[in-house]
Amino acid sequence: NPAHVSHSALDFQNNYEQKGDFIEVAALSYGDLINDLCLTEVPMLKLDIEGAEIEVLMALSDGDMLPQQICVEYDELLRPSEIAADRVRKAHNHLVDLGYEAVFKDTLGVNLLYVRSV
C-alpha cells in the first residue's frame, strides 16, 4: 500500500497472489546475524516483520543458538484464511518441537510469547 510504510514479504493481504508493485531488500539469516554480531547467547528474539516471521521461525533448528524467548506477531492472522491458519500452526508446532511453550497470547491472538524450557 503506497500510503503506508509497511510492506509484506508474502502479500498475504492480497490472498498470497504476490502481484503488483514490489521492492527488494537485503536480509540476513538468523544464523548469519548471530555470527555477524558475535553473539554468545540470545535472550530474546522479537519478530514483527510483516508476514516473513513464519519463514524465520521455520528456519530455526536445534543446531542454532536458539533464543530463550521469542516474541512474534503473526501478521497473517490479521487477515484470517485457511492458508494463514495452516502456516501459523506449522510454525507453532515447529517451535514446540524445538522445546518452546507459548506462555502468552494477546486478545487478538496474533502476538505470542514463547519460552524455551530446554
Side-chain angles (χ1 to χ4, degrees):
N1 182 345
H4 295 84
V5 295
S6 292
H7 291 69
S8 168
L10 298 176
D11 205 9
F12 61 88
Q13 301 90 335
N14 294 305
N15 218 19
Y16 299 88
E17 293 182 16
Q18 296 186 340
K19 60 184 179 181
D21 294 337
F22 67 92
I23 62 170
E24 291 187 24
V25 296
L28 290 174
S29 70
Y30 175 78
D32 287 345
L33 184 61
I34 299 299
N35 290 334
D36 286 359
L37 297 174
C38 301
L39 298 178
T40 58
E41 65 177 337
V42 182
M44 178 178 283
L45 174 65
K46 182 181 184 295
L47 299 173
D48 182 358
I49 50 179
E50 309 310 319
E53 59 277 351
I54 303 290
E55 283 67 28
V56 172
L57 295 174
M58 293 302 292
L60 293 176
S61 71
D62 279 327
D64 292 327
M65 181 187 310
L66 295 174
Q68 189 61 35
Q69 299 178 59
I70 298 174
C71 295
V72 60
E73 180 180 57
Y74 290 115
D75 288 292
E76 294 175 63
L77 295 179
L78 294 171
R79 294 191 182 250
S81 71
E82 287 184 37
I83 295 172
D86 185 53
R87 286 174 45 81
V88 170
R89 188 177 308 109
K90 285 179 182 173
H92 172 81
N93 290 340
H94 179 64
L95 291 177
V96 169
D97 290 345
L98 290 175
Y100 289 94
E101 177 185 359
V103 297
F104 175 80
K105 180 170 62 171
D106 71 347
T107 55
L108 289 176
V110 299
N111 292 290
L112 278 80
L113 170 62
Y114 292 91
V115 175
R116 190 159 192 255
S117 58
V118 177

